[in-house]
Amino acid sequence: MGRNSRRRPTGARRATFAAVALILGGGGLVAANVYASASETWGGGASQSGTDQVKSATVTIDCPDVGQKLTDVPNAAKQNVDTELSTLDQQITEAYDRLASTRQAQSDDANYVQNEILGPLKDNRTAVIDRIKADYQRAGATAPSAIDGMAACTGMAADQGRPPAGGQNDAGGPQPNDNGGPNAGQQGDGGQAVSGPVASDFVDITTVQPNVGKPAPQAGASTGEFVTKCGVNANGKHNTDNVIVAPGVKNGAHHLHDYVGNQSNDAFATNDTFAAAETSCENQGDKSSYYWPVVRVQDGTQDFDQDADGGGKEGNVGRILVAKQADIKFVGSPTGEVVAMPRFLRIITGDAKAFTNGPANANAHWSCTGFEDKVQLTDKYPICPQGSQVVRSFAFQSCWDGQNIDSANHRTHVAFADANGDCQSGFKAIPQLTMRLVYDVPRPTIDNGQVKNGYAVDGFPEQLHKPITDHDDFINVMTDELMDQVVDCINEGRQCGGDVDDQPPATPTASAEPSFGGDGGNALGNGGGNQAQQPSEGVPGTAPAGTPGAEGAGRGAQVDHGGATPKVYSTPKSARNDESAAPQSASEGDGTGQAPGSGQAPSTGDDTVSAAAPAASQAVGGGDTSSVPPVQTESQAVTGGLAETGVQLWPAAIGAVLVIMGLLLLRRIGRRSV
């Protein structure tokens, strides 16, 4: 047997091999982690090219609202135009679905969003716009030039305050946390829909200082009230149609509505259908249709429409909540008497597309019981304290043009009153519909920048369930006799309807419950004149059409409602650090919840949202409503926070430790060998 001449390694040599292995292994971990991190989006960092930022920052799609430009559609073309406008909405929904479900492809190809989503969408929209113009021409009318150039859509970033100017894709925003489309349904984390809401859409209402004032009505005001009790839709009257905006089109709303009152409202209902319908209202003379998008809790549960159009297929997921209370009331004008509404008058208040359209027509108000006369939120969902319930409030336009029951864009036949509570020339004051919906909502929690068990209003999928998109619809189907009773009651200062017997006129005082968004303007403004519905900061009420705001574009988040309605500061003034920048707050753009220079509020021990200002811990109470401390405004739908950075860099940290250990071991071996 031959002798084995192979030398066994000494202890020193084995230690040297081990040290080299530690150094090589650790260095490999560091290199691999750095390379991986360089290819990821970390809040639009400098390591990315502009093109990379575009594809990773595009969270949703912003398309010009063609329908708002069509203010005079010939009757012969109206049906075709309504169908084409619905087709535009469907195209946006499908494009958003592709956007949200192709994150990997976007990472692989910097031009994917433009080439595969926005480019084809523009082509499709161009064809529809051409058909709309042809419909005008066939009806003997001049094709509208206002819609030329409205085919192109843009990518919109998560932290973007307003849709980008100049028709170009925005760059530099953070990567969204989701990587699936609406068809992905729900995430495993608390059942949150991939299309929102996000943590920055919520605020603990106890951290927001008072932002509502209650001026007394003027002399001569019509101070009566008429209540109609129509239930809360306990019988589950739902559909995803919208007979006002998209008559004859199934799923024209792309989200689910609650209906009370008229029981025959669907896409194909006509005035004759409404007149012959049953009603859920106690007063059978009121066959009016009152409808609004449902609210859902995203707690991982599913509802009947999980796999249906307008429901889970379009990002509207979770358990539908039935309102505990639906208060429907008609009130008067702060400056004089009201006249009867015409039968079949249609009114939409708020804007279901306010996230991308901007706040010109937004009229959302969110609060909690016990806080309604102190705090109203437009671009945040409130987290209410224990024992308090979520409240949605609406006050509809209270001026009518005296002729039309609808208009082509469903807005110009009605308007809000001006700063003094007066209607613009040619318009008449009508009973103002106000609605108050109360919900028993499970309390959301914010944990590590994520919302769990959140709630959200249904909406178009590309609107990301932002609270600013809340809206409400009304079709008057009262009998003429009942409408006359409503007018007499209001003008004589009585309280009528519901369970209340007619009461004598009361001494005019400030209302115990604020009325929002009614006489004096819509909830928001942007400093410009838009259909006489854009109040400017420092100027109460609504500026006449074409009148610039007192401080220019980008302002107008605070509104002084004339007459008996309150001031509402959707986002506190002090949350806007740079008055010259546009936008200064989420409410001035899209409800994303980002304001320049604001800090992200940390999660507290009880998982509630804390405010970003020292004074924000103070409970809501009295105080100066003209200067309000900031609430949490920093968007949380971002990557690159400290917690996430630690998670993503742990392989590099371990590698560094291994390299150091290897070097120390080599040094020790070297000393021993000397």
Side-chain angles (χ1 to χ4, degrees):
M1 211 167 121
R3 182 181 177 187
N4 186 354
S5 61
R6 181 178 167 185
R7 295 181 59 188
R8 295 182 179 272
T10 64
R13 294 180 66 189
R14 286 197 297 269
T16 301
F17 293 152
V20 172
L22 286 172
I23 294 171
L24 293 177
L29 278 175
V30 172
N33 191 228
V34 169
Y35 175 81
S37 299
S39 64
E40 295 175 355
T41 300
W42 284 34
S47 63
Q48 294 176 317
S49 68
T51 305
D52 287 338
Q53 290 175 343
V54 170
K55 55 119 180 193
S56 63
T58 303
V59 175
T60 193
I61 296 173
D62 169 33
C63 296
D65 194 340
V66 174
Q68 294 304 306
K69 295 294 185 180
L70 302 179
T71 57
D72 188 17
V73 179
N75 289 333
K78 190 175 187 311
Q79 183 175 354
N80 287 341
V81 169
D82 286 340
T83 301
E84 297 294 0
L85 292 175
S86 180
T87 299
L88 290 176
D89 286 337
Q90 182 62 39
Q91 290 173 348
I92 297 171
T93 295
E94 292 170 352
Y96 172 78
D97 191 11
R98 291 195 297 275
L99 173 72
S101 61
T102 57
R103 297 299 182 193
Q104 184 58 52
Q106 295 169 45
S107 297
D108 296 339
D109 181 0
N111 298 313
Y112 185 90
V113 172
Q114 182 60 47
N115 293 341
E116 302 299 327
I117 299 175
L118 296 180
L121 178 59
K122 179 181 178 180
D123 294 340
N124 293 336
R125 284 171 58 86
T126 298
V128 173
I129 290 173
D130 288 345
R131 291 199 298 268
I132 290 175
K133 297 176 73 171
D135 290 334
Y136 271 74
Q137 293 170 343
R138 280 193 294 268
T142 302
S145 59
I147 61 176
D148 291 339
M150 297 185 74
C153 300
T154 59
M156 194 167 171
D159 65 346
Q160 196 169 314
R162 293 291 297 272
Q168 297 180 355
N169 295 337
D170 185 74
Q175 172 123 4
N177 287 331
D178 61 86
N179 57 7
N183 293 336
Q186 297 170 317
Q187 294 176 348
D189 185 11
Q192 183 181 356
V194 294
S195 57
V198 295
S200 60
D201 292 326
F202 293 85
V203 65
D204 183 344
I205 199 168
T206 64
T207 66
V208 184
Q209 289 203 358
N211 59 10
V212 174
K214 296 184 298 183
Q218 302 177 20
S222 47
T223 58
E225 299 178 351
F226 187 93
V227 174
T228 183
K229 299 187 67 175
C230 301
V232 295
N233 194 28
N235 61 324
K237 168 66 176 172
H238 293 122
N239 64 50
T240 62
D241 302 342
N242 192 334
V243 71
I244 296 179
V245 175
V249 179
K250 293 299 293 181
N251 192 37
H254 296 273
H255 54 264
L256 196 68
H257 287 126
D258 273 320
Y259 291 88
V260 301
N262 201 287
Q263 295 296 289
S264 294
N265 191 334
D266 61 23
F268 305 99
T270 64
N271 290 346
D272 290 340
T273 305
F274 290 133
E278 295 183 353
T279 180
S280 67
C281 300
E282 290 184 0
N283 189 324
Q284 293 295 295
D286 187 6
K287 295 186 178 182
S288 301
S289 184
Y290 309 89
Y291 61 106
W292 54 83
V294 301
V295 170
R296 301 180 193 249
V297 175
Q298 296 180 355
D299 58 1
T301 58
Q302 299 180 358
D303 221 303
F304 74 94
D305 61 346
Q306 175 64 24
D307 299 316
D309 289 339
K313 288 177 67 175
E314 296 184 73
N316 294 307
V317 300
R319 173 168 53 93
I320 297 168
L321 292 177
V322 178
K324 288 188 60 179
Q325 189 174 337
D327 300 322
I328 302 174
K329 181 169 60 177
F330 293 86
V331 300
S333 164
T335 61
E337 294 189 342
V338 298
V339 301
M341 291 181 180
R343 203 170 192 216
F344 306 119
L345 176 69
R346 289 148 165 82
I347 308 179
I348 300 172
T349 197
D351 185 1
K353 301 176 183 177
F355 177 57
T356 54
N357 281 350
N361 292 310
N363 194 15
H365 291 93
W366 298 88
S367 191
C368 302
T369 55
F371 293 81
E372 295 169 72
D373 60 348
K374 306 178 186 71
V375 176
Q376 291 291 327
L377 306 168
T378 293
D379 56 4
K380 302 286 182 186
Y381 293 117
I383 298 178
C384 302
Q386 296 296 333
S388 179
Q389 297 167 324
V390 171
V391 181
R392 301 163 71 186
S393 299
F394 303 94
F396 284 65
Q397 295 89 318
S398 59
C399 300
W400 167 55
D401 68 5
Q403 298 179 5
N404 301 296
I405 62 171
D406 199 2
S407 50
N409 63 2
H410 315 293
R411 294 193 183 276
T412 51
H413 64 298
V414 290
F416 291 103
D418 65 14
N420 298 317
D422 294 318
C423 293
Q424 60 186 284
S425 177
F427 281 64
K428 303 176 180 181
I430 55 176
Q432 183 183 31
L433 171 60
T434 66
M435 298 181 64
R436 176 176 176 269
L437 307 176
V438 182
Y439 293 86
D440 190 5
V441 177
R443 198 165 189 260
T445 59
I446 307 298
D447 185 13
N448 195 27
Q450 298 290 322
V451 59
K452 294 185 177 180
N453 297 328
Y455 66 93
V457 64
D458 261 21
F460 290 91
E462 79 279 358
Q463 301 300 312
L464 307 186
H465 299 286
K466 298 297 181 183
I468 199 174
T469 63
D470 201 9
H471 57 284
D472 207 344
D473 301 77
F474 167 66
I475 302 173
N476 172 41
V477 198
M478 288 188 182
T479 63
D480 292 340
E481 294 77 13
L482 179 57
M483 178 54 66
D484 287 341
Q485 293 177 31
V486 172
V487 170
D488 290 343
C489 174
I490 290 172
N491 286 339
E492 294 170 8
R494 293 183 284 117
Q495 297 180 9
C496 314
D499 296 327
V500 181
D501 294 331
D502 286 2
Q503 300 293 321
T507 303
T509 58
S511 172
E513 294 181 1
S515 174
F516 307 104
D519 294 331
N522 61 336
L524 296 172
N526 62 11
N530 240 341
Q531 300 174 10
Q533 293 187 36
Q534 294 188 33
S536 56
E537 182 168 347
V539 181
T542 304
T547 303
E551 300 190 32
R555 302 297 298 272
Q558 72 179 36
V559 179
D560 186 350
H561 298 272
T565 53
K567 290 183 179 180
V568 175
Y569 302 93
S570 173
T571 298
K573 291 169 66 177
S574 57
R576 293 171 274 163
N577 297 333
D578 182 0
E579 297 276 347
S580 64
Q584 280 91 6
S585 72
S587 66
E588 292 168 319
D590 55 38
T592 57
Q594 175 135 348
S598 61
Q600 179 172 326
S603 177
T604 60
D606 60 356
D607 287 332
T608 59
V609 181
S610 59
S617 61
Q618 166 177 351
V620 174
D624 182 8
T625 61
S626 64
S627 179
V628 185
V631 297
Q632 177 189 0
T633 54
E634 185 71 23
S635 173
Q636 296 180 6
V638 298
T639 58
L642 289 178
E644 185 178 28
T645 300
V647 170
Q648 296 194 26
L649 288 180
W650 68 263
I654 293 176
V657 171
L658 293 177
V659 170
I660 292 171
M661 290 174 61
L663 292 173
L664 290 175
L665 185 56
L666 281 177
R667 184 179 180 184
R668 185 176 180 182
I669 295 170
R671 286 180 176 177
R672 286 184 175 180
S673 63
V674 174

